[in-house]
Amino acid sequence: VGIKNVTHNEPFFPGHFPIDPVMPGVLIVEAMAQTGALLMSKSLDADVNGKTIFFMSVDGARFRRPVRPGDVLRMHVDVVKHRGDLFKFRGEAMVDGKLAAEAEFAAMVVETGA
């Protein structure tokens, strides 16, 4: 589980949207992907020493409700498949216990500079 406190100070809010600020969906997916990367590096068997975790794909992204300043975004990420240095995840982003976004995504561990 990853947590993101969404504040009025986020640099994207003035342009997205000035009168009715909404967190961009791509950044919600990025937050889920970063949660997956932390899961890989801290809790799974991924050897990340001298390596970089690369986001590879996203599938089935759905956005169910807007995420606004003041919201607490909780990303629940589970491993769907793991083979070698390749991991596939399923993530859900929740606000106040309600689904805001969901997606499946993949990441891999690559030698730094490769």
Side-chain angles (χ1 to χ4, degrees):
V1 175
I3 296 174
K4 164 71 175 139
N5 292 309
V6 182
T7 69
H8 289 279
N9 298 330
E10 308 289 347
F12 48 80
F13 280 137
H16 202 269
F17 299 98
I19 296 172
D20 189 20
V22 176
M23 185 174 183
V26 69
L27 294 180
I28 297 170
V29 172
E30 173 68 19
M32 288 190 284
Q34 287 186 24
T35 302
L38 281 170
L39 178 61
M40 288 170 67
S41 67
K42 302 295 183 193
S43 300
L44 302 174
D45 293 332
D47 176 15
V48 296
N49 290 326
K51 299 179 182 179
T52 303
I53 299 172
F54 283 109
F55 188 36
M56 294 176 51
S57 67
V58 61
D59 296 301
R62 300 284 183 266
F63 304 97
R64 306 297 184 184
R65 69 181 299 271
V67 177
R68 301 185 184 283
D71 286 344
V72 176
L73 193 61
R74 292 180 58 88
M75 283 78 56
H76 300 263
V77 176
D78 294 307
V79 177
V80 175
K81 193 176 193 181
H82 167 225
R83 187 172 0 142
D85 286 337
L86 177 64
F87 292 80
K88 186 163 186 181
F89 300 95
R90 168 142 178 72
E92 294 182 337
M94 312 286 284
V95 174
D96 293 329
K98 296 177 186 155
L99 186 63
E102 59 188 324
E104 288 192 358
F105 51 95
M108 70 182 301
V109 181
V110 176
E111 293 287 333
T112 300

